[in-house]
């Protein structure tokens, strides 16, 4: 009798449980090296709820939370803290969004950027309400290098 009750409870649970779909943000095409010039990445977003979302490019050194960079929002470059100023995209139910996003290094502080080397780029997706998931963004991270030429003083003849 206990087995029948357990089976009925289990079937009841399965019947009324809604499937949970994970959101996936993927960077599929990106430059291996970036400079002070603007760059373009190709990305996709699947499994998100329908509505307007906002995408932000983060550049950072692995193991830190010192993010920098600016994202082009189709009218201006933005690197601040107002999520709705980033690139707006429209998510449709059951449809994977894909497109290009432009980014650039911007003007990072010395805490955020300590010179040429290996960095990561990730894509942060904000919902229409301003929420984002760090693990979702971290799962999109790809490794790049930054190579900004340094100027060498020209010797003057004496």
């Amino acid at each position: 009798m206990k087995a029948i009750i357990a089976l009925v409870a289990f079937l009841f649970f399965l019947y009324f449980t809604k499937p949970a779909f994970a959101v996936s943000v993927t960077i599929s095409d990106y430059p291996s090296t970036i400079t002070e010039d603007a760059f373009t990445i190709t990305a996709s977003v699947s499994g998100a709820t329908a509505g307007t979302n906002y995408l932000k490019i983060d550049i950072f050194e692995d193991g830190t939370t010192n993010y920098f960079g600016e994202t082009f929002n189709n009218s201006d470059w933005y690197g601040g803290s107002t999520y709705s100023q980033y690139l707006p995209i429209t998510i449709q139910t059951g449809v994977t969004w894909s497109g290009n996003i432009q980014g650039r290094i911007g003007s990072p502080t010395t805490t955020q950027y300590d010179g040429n080397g290996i960095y990561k780029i990730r894509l942060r997706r904000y919902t229409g309400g301003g929420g984002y998931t760090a693990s979702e963004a971290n799962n999109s991270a790809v490794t790049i290098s930054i190579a900004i030429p340094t100027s060498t003083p020209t010797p003057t003849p004496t």
Side-chain angles (χ1 to χ4, degrees):
M1 184 64 162
K2 287 182 182 180
I4 292 173
I5 292 172
L7 178 61
V8 169
F10 179 72
L11 292 174
F12 183 81
F13 173 76
L14 286 179
Y15 182 76
F16 288 104
T17 302
K18 292 182 180 179
F21 298 104
V23 176
S24 176
V25 176
T26 305
I27 297 173
S28 57
D29 190 26
Y30 56 95
S32 59
T33 301
I34 61 175
T35 64
E36 68 273 2
D37 298 327
F39 59 89
T40 301
I41 64 172
T42 302
S44 62
V45 178
S46 61
T49 303
T52 301
N53 284 206
Y54 301 89
L55 300 179
K56 173 186 189 277
I57 292 175
D58 287 332
I59 306 170
F60 62 101
E61 277 191 284
D62 200 15
T64 71
T65 56
N66 299 320
Y67 306 110
F68 61 96
E70 295 177 344
T71 305
F72 190 67
N73 63 15
N74 288 330
S75 63
D76 200 7
W77 290 98
Y78 187 70
S81 59
T82 304
Y83 73 91
S84 60
Q85 294 299 306
Y86 285 103
L87 178 68
I89 64 168
T90 301
I91 302 292
Q92 297 176 7
T93 302
V95 177
T96 297
W97 177 91
S98 63
N100 293 327
I101 303 110
Q102 290 182 299
R104 68 181 185 186
I105 291 174
S107 302
T109 66
T110 54
T111 302
Q112 297 166 324
Y113 173 75
D114 64 2
N116 291 343
I118 304 300
Y119 287 79
K120 289 197 171 195
I121 292 177
R122 72 178 195 173
L123 198 56
R124 192 181 309 202
R125 179 189 64 90
Y126 289 97
T127 64
Y132 81 93
T133 305
S135 61
E136 177 186 294
N138 290 338
N139 288 338
S140 74
V142 294
T143 302
I144 53 98
S145 64
I146 296 178
I148 297 177
T150 55
S151 60
T152 307
T154 306
T156 54
T158 54

